[in-house]
Amino acid sequence: MSLQPHQIELLSPAKNADIGREAILHGADAVYIGGPDFGARHNASNTIADIAELVQFAHRFHARIFVTLNTILHEAELEPARRLVNDLYNSGVDALIVQDMALLEMDIPPIQLHASTQCDIRSAAKAKFLSEVGFSQLVLARELTIAQIREIAQTVGDGATIEYFIHGALCVAFSGQCYISHAETGRSANRGDCSQACRLPYTLTESNGAVIAFDKHLLSMKDNNQSANLETLLDAGVRSLKIEGRYKDVSYVKNITAHYRQLLDQILERRPEWARASSGASEIFFKPNPDKTFHRGSTDYFATGRQADIGAFDSPKFVGLRLGKVHQVSKEWLEVVTAEAMANGDGLNFMRKREVVGLQANTVELRDKTKDGETIWRIVPNDLSMLAGLTIGTDVSRNRDHAWELAVLKKSAERLIPVWLSLHETPTGLSLSITDADMISATVQLDLTLEPARQADKAWASLRENLGKLGNTIFVVQDIQLNLSQPWFVPVSSLNQLRRDAVAALEQARLAAWQRPTRKAPLEPAPIYPETSLSYLANVYNSLAWQFYRKHGVEVIEPAYEAHEEEGEVSLMITKHCLRFSYNLCPKQAKGVQGVMGQVRADPLILKNGDETYTLKFECRPCEMHVMGKMKKHILKQPPPSVVPTALPLTFYKQRPV
């Protein structure tokens, strides 16, 4: 007996339902989107009605819709969250992406649950535990190497689907382990309101004040791009390939989804043990290019090991692709020599000292060609003041290709499901059967009096032509079988009606055939959590989450950072990114170097932005950097985002555990 191929899912983000539909048309097998509340993105919420419409659209292609419910919940939010889960289930949503373990203690419908990346899944033991308590899909930490992913996938086995981010912005901290925003502003990243302190410029010094780096974006990472590692990730056990970007615009989602769809299809073509997780094929009407949409530079982060160039230290802005060099410049225009074509409306930029300066091309004019086959373009910017200080020979990049963007913004993809049609005679007229690539069928009948055709060839051609007109549907004809005793004359209106009825019946049959995945039952007896005590890093913020961990063997539980119990200096950010390594100050780098070995130590460093100062401590064994600091006094004195009932049986540490 042959084994069924493993389904491979391309998972795309959607800020709203319209973008979600475009993601599906451009090749997504699943889409994740925020609901009305608790979605960890304050400015990316959607109504139940909009989500329900997106679900109906997705299920026609047997694509899935996941809703993010991945903030930590305070006590007053437990009941509203429970009601929201019911509403989402009734709207047809396929799964919830959650962080708070309270969801596993609630009386909710049997909707599938996925463990968010905010759950900080870095170890095989934790992944196995989460798979055993009822999670069907696990979003692994972005910082893992491919070898670590393989170990987790092998440990979990068929217990849960492994999901991994393959593209998009990178949080410098382990997800769920960043508290700088709340400490400085009272806005909690774990509650969807991050102030993005990591994108600010900082100065890095030694404890004696010696400057290592001045006014650099030292906590800002380049953007994730795993294009070169896709097949290796699949070989390691990843089955859901996730694109980041619930704040991103439609151009980004179209472009990046189409890019990975094409790469993935090439892999699936030669690897029959894998199959795509939804129906249909997408035809893309533009050339996808990840470098054409916003990014801060590209990195595969830690997938293939620690790299020296993962940071976007110079600027968190989108520089784009190098265009060429300044050929001439005046007070009213500049000329650029380039191998690329240009268009009015292009966005250009260049470096002025350490600052990225951007300008928009109001008009462009082709002036000349060089001996090397390049072209010289004269550009009149919309703001002439941007030309100040620009010199001949300066590198120019393009972060907005206007002609390419226009191609993306119009209809840029079509997704179609192959079907086979079969026309038969009946005692009262004709029947038409339509079967799709998933072997789902529908048959409709039309009562009419059949009359022999006077011109046989013309009748056969008319039948095929009119039955095959599926242009405004999600189907494309592969073959038409005319199982008739002779060529009959059938009015075009009758054929059109028969075809429309068959298509409508097949669409209904596809929706009826879609089986929503159900929630996985937890193992009995209750699995034991890998640790017996939890600090604030576990983000326990309500009685149900406390109850969950107690049930699974945790003896001592500290409340979440948002409970305002942490008065002293703590880790406000834990990250795999290491500034000692970035500036060649890591003891491991010095190991074996004659004259240097033993001279370099992982002493703390100081990170400063304006009045904000943090101590950087380095844990060399796990190879991590901790950004240490205190919650501001006025925030600490404020009531936490919720008042936890005094009867809540939380057990606190008398002192912080080592």
Side-chain angles (χ1 to χ4, degrees), residues 242-305:
K242 187 172 192 174
I243 298 167
E244 180 276 339
R246 279 197 292 131
Y247 274 159
K248 297 296 178 68
D249 62 21
V250 69
S251 295
Y252 168 93
V253 173
K254 285 182 175 185
N255 183 32
I256 303 305
T257 301
H259 167 71
Y260 282 101
R261 181 74 267 159
Q262 292 181 347
L263 291 181
L264 192 51
D265 284 348
Q266 292 170 12
I267 295 171
L268 299 183
E269 181 125 7
R270 65 174 185 272
R271 298 291 295 270
E273 68 269 36
W274 298 326
R276 69 171 299 170
S278 62
S279 306
S282 294
E283 182 183 359
I284 309 300
F285 304 146
F286 68 100
K287 187 175 181 181
N289 186 342
D291 288 329
K292 294 282 191 180
T293 42
F294 183 95
H295 66 91
R296 302 174 180 89
S298 296
T299 175
D300 72 356
Y301 213 30
F302 293 92
T304 54

Side-chain angles (χ1 to χ4, degrees), residues 506-619:
L506 181 60
E507 287 200 1
Q508 288 303 311
R510 288 189 60 79
L511 290 174
W514 173 246
Q515 295 182 353
R516 178 163 53 176
T518 58
R519 181 174 170 183
K520 187 174 68 175
L523 289 186
E524 294 293 344
I528 300 301
Y529 190 73
E531 301 172 41
T532 58
S533 63
L534 296 175
S535 72
Y536 70 98
L537 297 171
N539 301 320
V540 178
Y541 199 38
N542 58 69
S543 59
L544 290 184
W546 183 94
Q547 177 179 304
F548 169 86
Y549 284 111
R550 288 288 292 163
K551 182 170 75 176
H552 293 285
V554 181
E555 298 171 359
V556 188
I557 302 167
E558 189 175 353
Y561 190 75
E562 287 77 2
H564 294 185
E565 298 287 337
E566 303 294 338
E567 298 183 16
E569 184 180 72
V570 298
S571 296
L572 295 181
M573 175 190 291
I574 305 175
T575 172
K576 198 75 176 170
H577 166 51
C578 176
L579 284 169
R580 280 198 167 277
F581 182 86
S582 297
Y583 286 97
N584 298 309
L585 299 171
C586 168
K588 293 181 180 179
Q589 289 170 313
K591 190 175 182 180
V593 180
Q594 191 172 2
V596 177
M597 186 172 149
Q599 304 300 309
V600 179
R601 298 183 302 175
D603 293 334
L605 299 177
I606 306 300
L607 196 65
K608 189 166 185 177
N609 167 262
D611 295 331
E612 311 298 346
T613 300
Y614 306 99
T615 302
L616 302 183
K617 292 186 177 179
F618 302 89
E619 299 288 342

